[in-house]
Amino acid sequence: MAKPAQGAKYRGSVCDFPDFNPSQDAETLYNAMKGFGSDKEAILELIISRSNRQRQEICQNYKSLYGKDLIADLKYELTGKFERLIVGLMRPPAYADAKEIKDAISGIGTDEKCLIEILASRTNKQIHQLVAAYKDAYERDLEADITGDTSGHFRKMLVVLLQGTREEDDVVSEDLVQQDVQDLYEAGELKWGTDEAQFIYILGNRSKQHLRLVFDEYLKTTGKPIEASIRGELSGDFEKLMLAVVKCVRSTAEYFAERLFKAMKGLGTRDNTLIRIMVSRSELDMLDIREIFRTKYEKSLYSMIKNDTSGEYKKALLKLCGGDDDAAGQFFPEAAQVAYQMWELSAVARVELKGTVRPAGDFNPDADAKALRKAMKGLGTDEDTIIDIIAHRSNAQRQQIRQTFKSHFGRDLMADLKSELSGDLARLILGLMMPPAHYDAKQLKKAMEGAGTDEKALIEILATRTNAEIQAIKEAYKEDYHKSLEDALSSDTSGHFKRILISLATGNREEGGEDRERAREDAQEMADTSSGDKSSLETRFMMILCTRSYPHLRRVFQEFVKMTNYDVEHTIKKEMSGDVRDVFVAIVQSVKNKPLFFADKLYKSMKGAGTDEKTLTRIMVSRSEIDLLNIRREFIEKYDKSLHQAIEGDTSGHFLKALLAICGGED
């Protein structure tokens, strides 16, 4: 069993089996494979409930008792994915890694993802053991084999990682941090072309503690995370390797949670990846991976494995997972803290919010008005010109164009656009032409019009806007529809949901910093789910979530985790339902990381069959001058593809062109 560091708690899901008897276990396995067929249930129950150290003793005893190789017998008796999993568990960790790498570079083609995962995530000690195991098992030099199978900067970085010489000193020099930040900046952003050698040297050799500080300082100095620079400056497998190194420096457990999620999401399962991670992390940090997985993907690792696999293979993976984090009593204090820190750091980092649409230089409203008139005059419409002008002007400039258009031609530009354009493109262009508060007011009005209410639109707008934005929306709503927003909400919604929306629509959220003592009291108030009925619980949550400032609520959420080992979002989903649950979750996600909240909404609007064009348009329009650049970064970080790519794959024609213009670039 892997031993935790001095004073640290063991975070694996597989432990030493008490009252261990290797001879008895060897006999049980022999009997399970004797005769016709094999008792797969007995094999998986025994092997997965023993630590790797104990499995090695069973192997030795099996050979002594029966003169046979246990791994060879298991290979003969078992088949497919179940065999690969069980045999993987029987190998010592370094030999299991060696086998994975040998498979990755054997035959036609190379499994670069496997090389990246193993070499980016292992410690110096694990790398040294891997190199020795490879030499012992295959009588070959690992570095020579990898060098012969890869090329370019990708190969150079793999060779650096293979040395296993990353610094391990926790004492960090502030001067060296600043120097490394400057060197990385000059090697990438400030240089025509990229000095890859600097990226390789710094990311391949500095200690994790040092690099975490480098990443923090890099963000402060350049205004962008190191990941964004890597994506902009590097490419191909080299880019993927460097991003994996950065992720493992930040949190190895989060890196593996993400790899597991991607192995199972969508059609088909990447079983080799799933098996490799479940085997290799079972005695290291599986509990941390599980907790981060649940926090990040809103479902337990256990439940995703259960829904994505079958048979003995599924049973074995679930046993290896060690528990379902959606079940009572399966929450881990240390991992809950890790999970909290994961999003708190990203949420409170001094990241400058940036839109993708900025005021056009050399702006000439007169020329723009004439060009738009020409594009709509006569037979046919020149949509390309309309898109090029409107999507590349700020909202303030569009209002000037609108005024100039009326002065020149005595016509209403909005009315002309409405008659010339249609469908999704018309909704998008007309949305861009409206002042932001009037656009939001219109979206709220449409959400409450006719039969049925679009609760998702109401929640998205009211849960995410600032006090100033809410006040402007209320004025615009009154001006445009001659009715107060609160009255409209009151007549179209009901119960606690209505009370929450009206509370948000007052725009009276506190705007100060955090108050630690009060945050503890608020957290206690929210944590006390046993006292009172559901109605009083919802009222308590409303009073805190709808009125406290964002910085204060972040502190409340941290105190809540300390008190309960639960993320507040999980508690809301467990204790509440329907629209009340949805609006509280939206507030919490917005407080944690608003750009990520919108990235999730955009992803969901385009995934699966069909596109939710209304949500897609609403977010692209409303965030284009606020934080769409930040949303783009969160999108690619979470979903491993750019917002640009997602839009390109899910829309078409002039609507696609306009959306890409607003998106503002490919990441």
Side-chain angles (χ1 to χ4, degrees):
M1 185 174 76
K3 286 190 168 58
Q6 191 94 28
K9 289 193 178 179
Y10 180 64
R11 307 298 301 141
S13 57
V14 175
C15 305
D16 279 335
F17 188 75
D19 304 320
F20 173 57
N21 186 328
S23 297
Q24 190 177 312
D25 285 351
E27 186 180 346
T28 302
L29 288 172
Y30 180 76
N31 290 331
M33 293 185 281
K34 198 167 66 173
F36 185 73
S38 54
D39 185 348
K40 295 180 180 68
E41 189 85 32
I43 292 169
L44 79 86
E45 281 294 329
L46 191 147
I47 288 175
I48 295 175
S49 59
R50 306 300 186 267
S51 68
N52 192 276
R53 179 185 62 77
Q54 291 175 330
R55 292 181 209 125
Q56 303 319 308
E57 288 189 56
I58 296 169
C59 276
Q60 289 163 9
N61 276 267
Y62 192 90
K63 187 165 271 188
S64 300
L65 288 168
Y66 307 107
K68 301 176 77 172
D69 183 79
L70 176 54
I71 289 180
D73 279 4
L74 288 166
K75 278 183 174 179
Y76 180 78
E77 291 290 334
L78 309 176
T79 57
K81 296 173 282 193
F82 181 58
E83 178 229 314
R84 189 179 176 97
L85 175 63
I86 294 298
V87 169
L89 287 166
M90 291 307 301
R91 292 191 178 102
Y95 285 81
D97 279 350
K99 177 71 166 69
E100 290 291 327
I101 286 186
K102 186 75 170 69
D103 289 348
I105 56 179
S106 293
I108 299 167
T110 304
D111 182 354
E112 290 86 2
K113 288 182 178 176
C114 172
L115 295 181
I116 289 169
E117 180 197 297
I118 291 174
L119 295 180
S121 64
R122 302 313 192 242
T123 64
N124 287 347
K125 184 179 177 184
Q126 288 167 336
I127 292 285
H128 296 152
Q129 290 169 341
L130 161 61
V131 171
Y134 192 90
K135 185 81 170 173
D136 181 50
Y138 307 110
E139 297 181 347
R140 297 177 65 88
D141 181 69
L142 178 53
E143 184 178 323
D145 280 0
I146 284 181
T147 301
D149 214 63
T150 56
S151 61
H153 297 296
F154 178 55
R155 174 170 64 194
K156 288 175 188 170
M157 185 62 176
L158 289 175
V159 169
V160 167
L161 294 172
L162 267 175
Q163 306 315 301
T165 53
R166 183 177 297 287
E167 296 160 3
E168 294 181 328
D169 191 356
D170 281 341
V171 178
V172 177
S173 159
E174 286 185 22
D175 291 341
L176 188 56
V177 167
Q178 294 297 339
Q179 185 61 53
D180 282 350
V181 169
Q182 194 59 36
D183 288 347
L184 287 170
Y185 192 39
E186 289 174 1
E189 299 287 337
L190 295 182
K191 191 178 177 68
W192 180 259
T194 307
D195 181 0
E196 289 87 354
Q198 280 288 14
F199 279 85
I200 290 170
Y201 177 72
I202 294 170
L203 294 180
N205 290 285
R206 298 290 192 241
S207 73
K208 285 191 171 187
Q209 186 64 28
H210 175 91
L211 285 173
R212 287 182 193 120
L213 292 175
V214 168
F215 299 161
D216 289 345
E217 286 302 314
Y218 190 90
L219 181 61
K220 289 177 192 169
T221 302
T222 67
K224 58 169 32 175
I226 188 70
E227 291 91 339
S229 291
I230 288 171
R231 287 194 186 96
E233 300 297 327
L234 312 180
S235 62
D237 293 323
F238 180 46
E239 174 198 344
K240 289 172 188 158
L241 174 58
M242 298 307 255
L243 287 172
V245 169
V246 170
K247 283 175 182 173
C248 288
V249 165
R250 291 193 188 279
S251 167
T252 306
E254 186 181 351
Y255 170 72
F256 282 114
E258 187 179 299
R259 292 278 295 154
L260 285 167
F261 178 75
K262 286 173 182 172
M264 291 182 281
K265 75 167 184 173
L267 290 172
T269 304
R270 296 170 194 166
D271 293 292
N272 287 355
T273 301
L274 178 57
I275 291 166
R276 184 171 58 246
I277 297 172
M278 295 300 290
V279 168
S280 66
R281 310 315 291 184
S282 60
E283 295 186 40
L284 295 174
D285 52 5
M286 185 58 72
L287 302 191
D288 295 327
I289 292 168
R290 277 168 47 182
E291 186 67 22
I292 289 173
F293 192 100
R294 181 174 59 79
T295 303
K296 191 165 184 172
Y297 301 111
E298 301 173 15
K299 64 181 82 177
S300 68
L301 175 58
Y302 187 97
S303 67
M304 198 160 182
I305 291 170
K306 194 174 180 182
N307 293 330
D308 217 63
T309 57
S310 60
E312 276 86 13
Y313 175 53
K314 173 168 85 172
K315 288 179 189 171
L317 285 170
L318 292 178
K319 192 166 175 63
L320 208 50
C321 181
D324 186 356
D325 301 307
D326 287 334
Q330 289 290 350
F331 296 89
F332 313 111
E334 299 86 351
Q337 300 301 327
V338 169
Y340 176 81
Q341 291 296 333
M342 180 183 81
W343 59 256
E344 188 204 35
L345 290 172
S346 66
V348 299
R350 297 288 174 198
V351 181
E352 185 186 353
L353 296 179
K354 287 183 181 176
T356 52
V357 175
R358 300 176 184 85
D362 303 322
F363 173 56
N364 185 336
D366 190 61
D368 285 349
K370 286 174 181 172
L372 287 169
R373 175 70 179 137
K374 185 180 176 185
M376 294 185 283
K377 206 173 174 183
L379 284 172
T381 306
D382 182 356
E383 288 93 347
D384 289 330
T385 296
I386 293 171
I387 292 166
D388 285 340
I389 293 172
I390 291 175
H392 294 103
R393 304 294 183 270
S394 68
N395 194 276
Q397 290 175 332
R398 291 180 208 126
Q399 304 317 312
Q400 285 182 255
I401 295 169
R402 199 172 163 183
Q403 187 60 54
T404 304
F405 194 89
K406 183 163 269 187
S407 300
H408 274 349
F409 307 112
R411 300 173 68 92
D412 180 10
L413 176 56
M414 292 286 281
D416 281 5
L417 288 167
K418 203 170 187 177
S419 72
E420 293 292 329
L421 304 175
S422 62
D424 296 325
L425 178 65
R427 275 189 287 274
L428 181 63
I429 294 297
L430 290 168
L432 289 167
M433 288 303 304
M434 295 180 75
H438 289 266
Y439 179 72
D440 277 348
K442 184 174 183 181
Q443 297 306 303
L444 291 168
K445 179 78 165 64
K446 286 171 86 169
M448 294 183 279
E449 268 177 354
T453 304
D454 183 352
E455 291 87 2
K456 287 182 180 177
L458 296 180
I459 290 168
E460 179 204 300
I461 294 169
L462 294 173
T464 60
R465 300 312 192 246
T466 64
N467 284 348
E469 288 167 341
I470 291 283
Q471 297 303 337
I473 291 167
K474 285 163 67 176
E475 289 171 21
Y477 198 95
K478 185 83 171 172
E479 181 186 332
D480 294 345
Y481 307 112
H482 312 294
K483 184 178 185 178
S484 79
L485 175 58
E486 287 172 31
D487 285 348
L489 289 167
S490 191
S491 60
D492 208 67
T493 57
S494 60
H496 267 88
F497 182 55
K498 174 175 81 174
R499 291 175 57 203
I500 295 162
L501 291 183
I502 289 174
S503 177
L504 291 170
T506 60
N508 281 330
R509 185 179 293 283
E510 296 163 3
E511 295 189 332
E514 63 181 58
D515 177 335
R516 291 205 173 206
E517 187 54 46
R518 190 183 181 204
R520 278 190 283 273
E521 291 168 7
D522 286 346
Q524 187 62 60
E525 193 77 13
M526 294 168 78
D528 189 9
T529 56
S530 57
S531 69
D533 57 13
K534 186 179 173 184
S535 177
S536 89
L537 180 67
E538 289 172 352
T539 301
R540 279 182 276 141
F541 269 71
M542 181 185 79
M543 289 172 64
I544 294 164
L545 292 179
C546 295
T547 64
R548 308 294 194 255
S549 71
Y550 272 32
H552 180 81
L553 283 173
R554 288 190 190 108
R555 179 60 58 191
V556 171
F557 299 163
Q558 188 172 37
E559 295 297 332
F560 188 91
V561 168
K562 285 178 186 170
M563 286 176 191
T564 67
N565 296 329
Y566 285 71
D567 184 278
V568 69
E569 201 175 315
H570 184 83
T571 298
I572 290 167
K573 287 174 181 172
K574 184 182 171 191
E575 299 291 337
M576 300 173 199
S577 60
D579 296 326
V580 170
R581 173 199 61 210
D582 293 346
V583 70
F584 282 152
V585 166
I587 294 168
V588 170
Q589 290 178 345
S590 181
V591 169
K592 287 178 177 181
N593 185 338
K594 197 178 287 186
L596 179 58
F597 169 80
F598 283 115
D600 283 340
K601 292 284 178 196
L602 284 170
Y603 177 77
K604 286 168 186 169
S605 76
M606 292 181 278
K607 78 167 185 173
T611 306
D612 179 358
E613 287 89 356
K614 287 182 181 175
T615 299
L616 176 58
T617 299
R618 186 172 60 244
I619 295 173
M620 294 296 287
V621 169
S622 65
R623 310 313 294 182
S624 60
E625 293 185 48
I626 300 173
D627 54 3
L628 190 53
L629 190 62
N630 307 80
I631 292 167
R632 269 171 42 185
R633 288 172 183 163
E634 295 292 350
F635 194 99
I636 195 168
E637 184 65 32
K638 181 162 183 180
Y639 298 109
D640 218 24
K641 68 174 173 182
S642 66
L643 178 58
H644 188 283
Q645 288 171 317
I647 291 169
E648 216 166 26
D650 218 63
T651 59
S652 60
H654 288 105
F655 182 50
L656 164 64
K657 183 178 178 182
L659 286 171
L660 291 183
I662 299 166
C663 182
E666 167 65 286
D667 296 305

